[in-house]
Amino acid sequence: IPIQLWPSIKLKLPNFDFDEETWYLFVLLKRNPFRLQKFINKNSGCDFDHRDLLSSYLSTYNFTELHLDCLYRGPGDITQLPNEIFTCCVNAKVLSLRNNYLESLSSDIGRMSKLQKLYLTNNRLQNSGIPYTLQFLQELKELYLDNNLLDALPSFLLSMKSLQTVHRHGNHNYFKSTFMW
C-alpha cells in the first residue's frame, strides 16, 4: 500500500494493526491500492469494526477472481489461509493459490460454489490435505494439482460431473502404481 495512504487509514482507524489477515488484504489491493481508502472512507461513518476489515472488504467488492500466488517465501513462512477467502468470496470463478507451500486447504473451500478453475500448483499438498468438500464445487471445470506431494488423486473427484480437466504432473512417484485417471 502506498505510504501516502497510511495517514488517512490511521486517522479513520486509530486501532488499526498489521496482522496476518491484513496481509491478505494488502495482497488483494496490489492492483488497486486506493480502493482501500475509498472503502474506509465509505464505511468509517457507520458502525464499522476494523477487526472485520478483511471479511467486510471481500464481501463488499464481490471478487470473481482471486490470484493469491507466491504469498509465502518458504516452508518456514507458512500460515493458514484466512477462512474469509472461502466464506466471503462465494462468487469467485477463479482461485489461484500457486507456489504457497500449502499443506492443506480449509474445508470451507466447498462454499465457493461458483468456482470454475482452481490452481493449486507447486504446493505441498498430500491426499489428506485436499478436503472432501471440494466435491461441492459443482461448477469446477479445471483443477491444477501439478507439483505437489500426492500419491494418488482423491476418489471423490470421479463423482464431480463438471470436472473436465485435472492437471497432476510432477507429483510424488507420479502415481506409479496407484489410482490414476
Side-chain angles (χ1 to χ4, degrees):
I1 293 190
I3 195 74
Q4 66 266 29
L5 286 182
W6 281 113
S8 67
I9 291 171
K10 281 300 215 183
L11 182 65
K12 299 276 184 181
L13 303 172
N15 298 325
F16 184 74
D17 291 321
F18 184 81
D19 59 15
E20 288 179 15
E21 285 188 4
T22 310
W23 167 248
Y24 289 96
L25 183 61
F26 294 155
V27 169
L28 291 168
L29 292 167
K30 184 167 54 173
R31 291 191 183 151
N32 191 349
F34 293 97
R35 188 184 280 176
L36 178 62
Q37 185 175 23
K38 290 179 202 172
F39 176 76
I40 291 171
N41 288 341
K42 179 181 173 188
N43 291 295
S44 64
C46 59
D47 188 22
F48 178 70
D49 186 354
H50 73 278
R51 290 172 292 186
D52 294 327
L53 188 60
L54 181 61
S55 59
S56 299
Y57 182 81
L58 291 172
S59 298
T60 299
Y61 288 106
N62 195 22
F63 288 94
T64 57
E65 288 192 22
L66 290 166
H67 297 274
L68 301 172
D69 303 324
C70 304
L71 294 177
Y72 305 114
R73 285 177 236 124
D77 194 27
I78 299 169
T79 59
Q80 289 290 341
L81 293 169
N83 274 344
E84 289 86 352
I85 290 172
F86 308 114
T87 59
C88 298
C89 298
V90 294
N91 291 319
K93 294 181 180 185
V94 176
L95 175 60
S96 183
L97 297 169
R98 295 179 224 180
N99 304 308
N100 280 311
Y101 296 91
L102 297 176
E103 294 178 355
S104 65
L105 284 176
S106 168
S107 59
D108 283 328
I109 195 166
R111 295 177 181 217
M112 300 180 85
S113 60
K114 306 273 190 235
L115 205 60
Q116 295 176 4
K117 294 181 183 181
L118 178 57
Y119 297 90
L120 298 170
T121 305
N122 294 325
N123 282 294
R124 300 179 52 83
L125 293 170
Q126 296 181 22
N127 298 52
S128 61
I130 300 175
Y132 72 93
T133 56
L134 217 61
Q135 65 188 330
F136 300 141
L137 306 178
Q138 295 183 2
E139 295 185 27
L140 189 66
K141 294 178 182 162
E142 297 177 31
L143 177 59
Y144 296 82
L145 291 168
D146 299 299
N147 300 317
N148 278 285
L149 302 175
L150 299 171
D151 288 327
L153 291 174
S155 59
F156 64 78
L157 294 179
L158 287 171
S159 66
M160 296 177 66
K161 304 262 187 250
S162 64
L163 195 57
Q164 298 170 357
T165 307
V166 178
H167 295 265
R168 64 198 188 313
H169 299 285
N171 276 286
H172 186 69
N173 292 331
Y174 191 60
F175 311 142
K176 277 187 182 172
S177 62
T178 58
F179 172 80
M180 285 183 63
W181 40 279

